[in-house]
Amino acid sequence: ARLLCSLHSLGVVHLNLRPENIVCRFDGTIALIGWERSKRLDSFESTARSGDMRLAAHVHLSLDVWSFGATLLSLVTQRDADL
């Protein structure tokens, strides 16, 4: 959760959170892989001229949070979230 908050505070959304994109390194730290779909929101928001664009940026953040919850559920229950 801290990693996700740190990313969002930097204006980055991952957009591909799922169990197979969360890995544990040999030193015990957690890393995210699968960055192909990620976006930087600061450049997105700076070009936004309408409320719709700002709403889209908020939706991207919400998708990361929702995906994190579904991933956590999947990891805790050891079952696919069937989303």
Side-chain angles (χ1 to χ4, degrees):
R2 277 189 242 155
L3 178 59
L4 188 60
C5 287
S6 296
L7 286 172
H8 288 176
S9 71
L10 295 171
V12 176
V13 287
H14 190 272
L15 296 175
N16 199 16
L17 286 174
R18 52 189 176 166
E20 54 269 23
N21 285 340
I22 301 172
V23 296
C24 184
R25 296 180 178 179
F26 290 112
D27 64 0
T29 59
I30 302 296
L32 285 177
I33 60 173
W35 289 92
E36 303 84 25
R37 297 178 61 199
S38 65
K39 295 187 185 298
R40 287 200 50 94
L41 291 181
D42 56 352
S43 60
F44 179 75
E45 289 177 334
S46 67
T47 60
R49 303 239 162 115
S50 70
D52 291 341
M53 296 293 271
R54 287 188 296 276
L55 177 61
H58 174 72
V59 168
H60 281 5
L61 291 172
S62 298
L63 287 172
D64 263 4
V65 172
W66 186 86
S67 295
F68 176 73
T71 297
L72 188 59
L73 175 66
S74 178
L75 293 171
V76 169
T77 62
Q78 297 183 356
R79 295 186 339 191
D80 287 338
D82 293 329
L83 308 173

